[in-house]
């Protein structure tokens, strides 16, 4: 039984915590897309760990964490994270035994970070709002067939040739467009060789390893990063990330067939947030600024990667239904319900108004998305209750049960996990996806 966890909104849904919980049942935990622009915050025994690249399953002993082909891999960040985990005493075995990196993953180099920053600075008000970690430029090079893969770091002649042609082109851009100093190949070549040498013990054929794990029926957890509405094909383009964040990204990112994934769990908060620019139909920053401020404060809605305040809005059921379709969700993990405790009433978006029309689906055009006006259903809040005493959905306050049922009915997917706090213990597992047949 293999399970995928994907963000069903614009990221920051609390995937880190859910992946951490499901990791207990898995042998392998796999990142299949994105790079260190993910920011998973885990709280275990009151201790906070933020991971950007290494799968969140790493905090469980005996698990093997994989970074698959579809990830863009920053070796510098990787070694920083490994060191952070080692210093925290979080690893129960040598790092290279529990973390494996695909030889085919594309490498993020310093010039990718530089170009990411320069593009965002030059875009001024048309910024995408990237994390400026070089993710987009690294994916660009990959698709343009001029990327450098992990395996290239271990082959000096290939590495030099690829670096040379990459740098020649980047230097034209740097010198003539951005008016910045050019890159020198020699120090970068030396640094890449050094990192390649250091990486050797971690590097493997991750795809092959997964195929063997599948044949041996060892449980696998696929860990998505960012969220469905940030998917490069199915998100609110161009305000998206550069990879396939949806469940389909597992097939391309890992090189395993669709039958490799049996359950797809979409993570959604009980409300919505979005970092950076781009359309956000249920945003309440202007219409209900006090409520937005309150949710941001209670939910500590500030980016784990960038520290940016997240934009706040009500839960958008139309967008969630879209996420369910795009990913083929089999379950929903509802997080941060506790943030809305004691709210007198809550809103759920069930349709949009666009001019004189009522829409029941997300439109494709970015200007239509920006012009949408949500239709809300207002429902009573659930006050306060002792989450620690709750062992089943039926024991929840009636209003919270009603909130959950409304989501399930609208989206057509059951809520299989309810999270009511950042800690592992603050979780109600309604149905364990690893035990589903
Ligand atoms: P991810 O990128 O989807 O993993 O999202 P984050 O790591 O940014 O998670 C959001 C934040 O919410 C983190 O600080 C988590 O510790 C926290 N968190 C996760 N689930 C819950 C929850 O149910 N309630 C509360 N209050 N916080 C949560």
């Amino acid at each position: 039984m293999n399970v995928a966890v994907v963000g069903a909104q614009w990221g920051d849904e609390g995937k880190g915590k859910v992946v951490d919980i499901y990791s207990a049942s898995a042998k392998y935990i796999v990142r299949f897309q994105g790079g260190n622009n993910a920011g998973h915050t885990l709280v275990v025994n009151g201790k906070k760990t933020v991971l950007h690249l290494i799968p969140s399953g790493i905090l469980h002993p005996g698990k093997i964490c994989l970074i698959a082909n579809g990830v863009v891999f920053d070796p510098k960040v990787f070694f920083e994270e490994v060191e952070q985990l080692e210093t925290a005493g979080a690893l129960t075995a040598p790092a290279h035994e529990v973390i494996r990196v695909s030889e085919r993953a594309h490498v993020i180099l310093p010039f990718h970070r530089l170009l990411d920053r320069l593009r965002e600075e030059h875009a001024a008000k048309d910024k995408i709002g990237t994390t400026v970690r070089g993710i987009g430029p690294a994916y660009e090079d990959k698709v343009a067939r001029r990327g450098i893969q992990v395996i290239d770091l271990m082959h000096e002649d290939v590495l030099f040739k690829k670096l040379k042609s990459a740098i020649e082109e980047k230097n034209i851009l740097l010198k003539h467009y951005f008016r910045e100093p050019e890159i020198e190949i020699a120090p970068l070549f030396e640094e890449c060789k050094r990192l390649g040498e250091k990486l050797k013990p971690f590097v493997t054929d991750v795809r092959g390893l997964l195929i063997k794990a599948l044949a041996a029926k060892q449980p696998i957890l696929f860990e998505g990063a960012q969220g469905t509405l940030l998917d490069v094909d199915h998100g609110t383009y161009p305000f998206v990330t550069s990879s396939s964040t949806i469940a389909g990204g597992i097939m391309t990112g890992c090189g395993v067939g669709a039958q490799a994934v049996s359950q797809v769990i979409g993570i959604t908060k009980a409300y919505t947030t979005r970092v950076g620019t781009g359309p956000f139909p249920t945003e309440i920053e202007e219409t209900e600024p006090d409520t937005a401020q309150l949710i941001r404060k209670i939910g500590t809605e500030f980016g784990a990667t960038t520290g940016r305040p997240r934009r706040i809005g009500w839960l958008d059921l139309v967008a969630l239904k879209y996420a369910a379709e795009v990913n083929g969700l089999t379950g929903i993990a509802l997080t941060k319900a506790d943030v809305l405790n004691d709210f007198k009433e809550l809103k759920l978006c069930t349709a949009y108004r666009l001019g004189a029309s009522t829409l029941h689906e997300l439109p494709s055009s970015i200007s239509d998305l920006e012009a949408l006006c949500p239709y809300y259903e207002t429902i009573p809040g659930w006050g306060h209750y002792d989450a620690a005493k709750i062992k089943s959905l039926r024991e929840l306050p009636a209003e919270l049960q009603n909130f959950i049922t409304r989501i399930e009915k609208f989206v057509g997917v059951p809520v299989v996990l309810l999270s009511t706090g950042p800690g592992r213990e603050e979780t109600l597992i309604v149905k364990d996806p690893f035990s589903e047949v």
Side-chain angles (χ1 to χ4, degrees), residues 12-17 39-41 310 335-336 338 419-422:
D12 309 314
E13 299 94 346
K15 291 178 295 296
K17 168 178 167 172
H40 295 321
T41 314
R310 294 172 182 150
T335 63
K336 294 206 150 183
D338 55 301
S419 172
T420 51

Side-chain angles (χ1 to χ4, degrees), residues 184-426:
E184 282 179 50
I185 189 163
L188 186 57
F189 180 54
E190 289 310 315
E191 176 66 356
C192 284
K193 277 197 302 183
R194 190 187 66 79
L195 287 168
E197 199 51 43
K198 204 170 161 191
L199 259 183
K200 261 186 194 160
F202 293 90
V203 176
T204 194
D205 170 14
V206 164
R207 192 202 67 85
L209 209 147
L210 279 170
I211 296 294
K212 283 195 193 110
L214 285 167
K217 299 206 179 316
Q218 288 174 310
I220 303 169
L221 177 64
F222 296 96
E223 170 179 344
Q226 294 90 40
T228 300
L229 296 165
L230 293 172
D231 181 89
V232 69
D233 285 295
H234 302 283
T236 49
Y237 191 89
F239 300 99
V240 293
T241 193
S242 311
S243 63
S244 299
T245 60
I246 60 169
I250 297 167
M251 281 95 240
T252 53
C254 298
V256 292
Q259 74 282 3
V261 186
S262 20
Q263 296 284 316
V264 185
I265 310 301
I267 319 294
T268 178
K269 291 190 229 208
Y271 49 93
T272 311
T273 62
R274 172 161 202 169
V275 172
T277 31
F280 181 1
T282 60
E283 181 168 22
I284 54 170
E285 294 293 343
E286 280 180 17
T287 49
E288 299 172 65
D290 294 346
T291 309
Q293 192 77 348
L294 189 64
I295 293 178
R296 183 159 39 246
K297 189 161 163 255
I298 304 174
T300 25
E301 294 297 355
F302 298 88
T305 305
T306 57
R308 287 182 286 191
R310 294 172 182 150
R311 296 156 64 195
I312 310 286
W314 294 115
L315 182 59
D316 185 339
L317 292 181
V318 183
L320 189 58
K321 188 160 189 260
Y322 175 77
E325 291 167 2
V326 167
N327 290 290
L329 294 187
T330 58
I332 289 174
L334 183 65
T335 63
K336 294 206 150 183
D338 55 301
V339 173
L340 302 183
N341 282 353
D342 294 325
F343 273 53
K344 270 218 175 67
E345 43 186 39
L346 309 159
K347 290 182 190 167
L348 289 169
C349 167
T350 53
Y352 311 116
R353 184 164 48 79
L354 179 67
S357 322
T358 300
L359 303 189
H360 297 282
E361 283 176 6
L362 275 176
S364 301
S365 141
I366 205 79
S367 53
D368 285 353
L369 274 165
E370 265 157 2
L372 293 179
C373 198
Y375 280 122
Y376 287 118
E377 221 170 78
T378 302
I379 62 166
W382 49 79
H384 214 93
Y385 66 99
D386 186 355
K389 293 208 176 114
I390 303 287
K391 299 282 172 272
S392 76
L393 285 182
R394 282 195 310 272
E395 293 168 38
L396 290 169
E399 296 83 358
L400 180 49
Q401 286 189 49
N402 176 41
F403 182 76
I404 292 171
T405 309
R406 188 70 190 106
I407 296 171
E408 293 180 326
K409 278 226 171 96
F410 193 97
V411 180
V413 178
V415 169
V416 296
L417 182 149
L418 176 69
S419 172
T420 51
R424 266 181 195 166
E425 60 297 343
E426 294 164 297

Side-chain angles (χ1 to χ4, degrees), residues 4-206:
V5 163
V6 292
Q9 299 173 305
W10 277 282
D12 309 314
E13 299 94 346
K15 291 178 295 296
K17 168 178 167 172
V18 177
V19 167
D20 175 63
I21 286 170
Y22 288 160
S23 292
S25 310
K27 173 72 186 166
Y28 293 93
I29 300 104
V30 194
R31 277 284 310 270
F32 55 90
Q33 49 70 229
N36 53 304
N37 50 344
H40 295 321
T41 314
L42 310 165
V43 181
V44 180
N45 301 329
K47 221 166 90 184
K48 189 168 146 180
T49 306
V50 181
L51 295 170
H52 299 289
L53 180 61
I54 295 174
S56 314
I58 195 66
L59 299 185
H60 286 266
K63 313 293 173 186
I64 305 195
C65 289
L66 306 178
I67 295 177
N69 311 26
V71 170
V72 283
F73 179 80
D74 189 327
K76 197 169 152 275
V77 171
F78 174 71
F79 286 118
E80 281 166 12
E81 256 176 39
V82 169
E83 212 172 284
Q84 181 201 329
L85 288 166
E86 282 172 344
T87 314
L91 299 179
T92 49
H96 66 272
E97 285 179 16
V98 287
I99 310 169
R100 314 310 314 272
V101 179
S102 167
E103 49 200 12
R104 282 173 176 246
H106 278 250
V107 178
I108 300 176
L109 291 169
F111 54 71
H112 292 125
R113 289 192 292 268
L114 176 66
L115 284 173
D116 204 352
R117 179 174 61 77
L118 291 172
R119 286 209 189 118
E120 283 291 274
E121 282 170 11
H122 280 244
K125 70 173 187 25
D126 292 325
K127 274 186 183 40
I128 300 284
T130 83
T131 53
V132 297
R133 311 237 152 152
I135 316 292
Y139 274 119
E140 279 171 39
D141 277 355
K142 168 179 173 170
V143 177
R145 293 162 296 180
R146 57 170 179 250
I148 292 166
Q149 292 177 289
V150 164
I151 194 77
D152 299 333
L153 299 177
M154 286 138 221
H155 291 90
E156 282 191 23
D157 43 348
V158 180
L159 177 65
F160 190 82
K161 226 169 101 186
K162 281 193 165 185
L163 273 181
K164 190 164 174 287
S165 76
I167 286 176
E168 269 168 13
E169 199 200 37
K170 305 284 182 284
N171 277 343
I172 293 172
L173 203 59
L174 286 172
K175 188 174 171 190
H176 299 288
Y177 183 71
F178 291 114
R179 314 250 174 243
E180 289 281 325
E182 292 175 83
I183 306 160
E184 282 179 50
I185 189 163
L188 186 57
F189 180 54
E190 289 310 315
E191 176 66 356
C192 284
K193 277 197 302 183
R194 190 187 66 79
L195 287 168
E197 199 51 43
K198 204 170 161 191
L199 259 183
K200 261 186 194 160
F202 293 90
V203 176
T204 194
D205 170 14
V206 164

